[in-house]
């Protein structure tokens, strides 16, 4: 696992956007060979999305032959609700880049058969040959996508009940009113994420510091589902200094030294 420590949120976001752009461009995506990108919602990826929009508008990248799969979606709020992940993605990224609407995949939390919706999602990912790069964030309890503590580390896309901590964390998007936060969601599984060719997690701020420690320094544990990344053949975590506050000084130095040695990025 690679850990990139950037000074601040802006440096982290710029690094990740540049990395994604290089990945798409190096893939030389064409209609019959699209680049398949997994995407998260949340406050953490917003800086990356802004930078990707800038790269797209300046002609440095095109999303024309990029297929996206989002990680998750709430159940029980309309697609056009201001806090649905459909709305989030269209407002913060898709409406501002040159992606074809039919190439965007987001789970439908209002599908008549939610189990089938999840199974179809897995089949569709497989039909494209899997995900080339899955971007993600982590929750303060170490969850990836909505794989809450205790989730199976081989889980697939499914219906998931959200725990109190996640509901409280997400209340900031629902006028701080926890009663309005959906308590059920559809989410890709930990196994779905691990199947991607490459996984890149963004981690920013003190509130994620304990989770980052569990993911980087502690053993793989289903109570911190992000720690499953230790099993992945190509995982990168990009964080800011604030997120490293619970790591050992030696761990931070170790990864910083590695990145200095490795400063020619292996993209
Ligand atoms: P955040 O959410 O980026 O808004 O902190 C991340 C997550 O819960 O996965």
């Amino acid at each position: 696992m690679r850990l990139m420590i950037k000074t601040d949120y802006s440096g982290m976001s710029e690094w990740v956007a540049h990395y994604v752009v290089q990945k798409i461009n190096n893939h030389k995506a064409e209609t019959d060979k699209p680049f398949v990108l997994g995407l998260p919602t949340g406050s953490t990826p917003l800086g990356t999305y802004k930078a990707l929009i800038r790269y797209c508008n300046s002609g440095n990248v095109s999303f024309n032959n990029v297929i996206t799969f989002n990680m998750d979606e709430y159940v029980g709020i309309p697609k056009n609700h201001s806090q649905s992940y459909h709305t989030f993605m269209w407002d913060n990224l898709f409406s501002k880049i040159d992606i074809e609407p039919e190439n965007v995949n987001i789970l439908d939390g209002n599908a008549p058969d939610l189990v089938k919706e999840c199974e179809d999602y897995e089949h569709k990912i497989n039909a494209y040959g899997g995900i080339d790069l899955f971007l993600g964030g982590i929750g303060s309890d170490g969850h990836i996508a909505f794989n809450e503590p205790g989730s199976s580390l081989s889980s697939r896309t499914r219906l998931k009940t959200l725990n109190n901590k996640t509901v409280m964390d997400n209340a900031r998007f629902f006028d701080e009113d926890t009663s309005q936060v959906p308590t059920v969601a559809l989410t890709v599984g930990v196994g779905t994420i691990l199947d991607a060719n490459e996984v890149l997690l963004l981690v920013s701020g003190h509130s994620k510091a304990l989770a980052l420690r569990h993911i980087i320094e502690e053993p793989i544990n289903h109570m911190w589902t992000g720690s499953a990344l230790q099993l992945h053949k190509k995982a990168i975590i990009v964080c800011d200094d604030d997120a490293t506050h619970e790591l050992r000084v030696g761990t931070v130095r170790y990864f910083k030294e590695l990145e200095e040695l490795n400063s020619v990025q292996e993209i």
Side-chain angles (χ1 to χ4, degrees), residues 191-213:
T192 320
I193 296 168
L194 292 182
D195 279 352
N197 284 337
E198 193 171 352
V199 181
L200 190 160
L201 293 189
L202 295 112
V203 186
S204 169
H206 286 102
S207 65
K208 305 290 173 66
L210 186 62
L212 187 63
R213 188 180 92 202

Side-chain angles (χ1 to χ4, degrees), residues 42-45 137-139 143 172-173 208:
S43 44
T44 312
I138 57 169
H143 69 222
R172 68 191 194 277
F173 302 116
K208 305 290 173 66

Side-chain angles (χ1 to χ4, degrees), residues 112-132:
D113 182 343
L114 293 173
V115 173
K116 183 171 183 308
E117 172 69 12
C118 294
E119 287 170 0
D120 289 351
Y121 207 64
E122 289 274 338
H123 290 144
K124 198 163 184 191
I125 291 172
N126 287 335
Y128 280 113
I131 290 181
D132 290 305

Side-chain angles (χ1 to χ4, degrees), residues 123-187:
H123 290 144
K124 198 163 184 191
I125 291 172
N126 287 335
Y128 280 113
I131 290 181
D132 290 305
L133 171 63
F134 220 137
L135 298 186
I138 57 169
S140 56
D141 59 7
H143 69 222
I144 39 172
F146 271 137
N147 295 287
E148 299 285 43
S151 293
S152 159
L153 299 185
S154 59
S155 50
R156 312 303 310 185
T157 305
R158 69 206 182 290
L159 202 61
K160 194 83 185 104
T161 303
L162 306 183
N163 67 29
N164 282 340
K165 174 98 182 77
T166 300
V167 170
M168 282 191 291
D169 281 354
N170 289 352
R172 68 191 194 277
F173 302 116
F174 291 83
D175 302 324
E176 299 295 341
D177 179 358
T178 50
S179 71
Q180 292 194 34
V181 185
T183 54
V184 180
L186 302 184
T187 181

Side-chain angles (χ1 to χ4, degrees), residues 5 255 265:
I5 303 169
F255 282 105
Q265 292 169 13

